Amino acid sequence: MKMKFKHTVFFVFCIFMTLFACNQDDVSPTIDREICRNVANKNFEATIPFMNSYLQGLKKNEGGELEKFENWLNSVSCITNATIGCNSCMFSYPAQSAMQVVFDSQGQDLEMTIHVRMAEKLEVVRIFEID
């Protein structure tokens, strides 16, 4: 009986830690490793699904989604700096925003632009090097 109680307490503790210990604004260590592995290999397109996964997890109509994305990008260990270049400045349907991101790829800074579709759920649609 005591063993079952200990297992139950441990299980509840694990669930509690999973639900409340993680801050959605910080990138998880696993995602950080995957993004930075792709950056080291200069495979920037492969980082888009991780970015979109974060964006899909944001609550709708809370406001400030682009700023939250900027903060999240800045928490990735191989990103030196991420800033919003413009918000909904590209006239398409839906409008798009641009973010300037400096990646640290094996000690070399690479400046990239990320285009974000400003739909109901934000979505990274393109990442490319600044000429």
Side-chain angles (χ1 to χ4, degrees), residues 64-82:
E65 288 88 358
L66 197 59
E67 290 80 7
K68 289 177 185 176
F69 183 49
E70 176 187 36
N71 291 335
W72 183 82
L73 286 171
N74 279 309
S75 73
V76 175
S77 64
C78 58
I79 293 179
T80 306
N81 188 37

Side-chain angles (χ1 to χ4, degrees), residues 74-124:
N74 279 309
S75 73
V76 175
S77 64
C78 58
I79 293 179
T80 306
N81 188 37
T83 56
I84 298 169
C86 66
N87 190 336
S88 300
C89 61
M90 289 178 269
F91 299 105
S92 59
Y93 186 76
Q96 292 185 26
S97 297
M99 300 195 67
Q100 276 60 54
V101 180
V102 180
F103 290 95
D104 177 2
S105 179
Q106 301 177 353
Q108 178 186 15
D109 282 348
L110 299 172
E111 294 183 39
M112 308 289 282
T113 296
I114 296 174
H115 284 179
V116 179
R117 183 178 295 133
M118 302 301 289
E120 187 172 327
K121 286 283 189 178
L122 275 60
E123 178 185 17
V124 173

Side-chain angles (χ1 to χ4, degrees), residues 46-62:
T47 65
I48 292 175
F50 298 105
M51 295 176 191
N52 283 335
S53 177
Y54 170 77
L55 291 170
Q56 292 301 309
L58 293 176
K59 293 185 177 160
K60 290 195 273 185
N61 302 323
E62 240 182 33

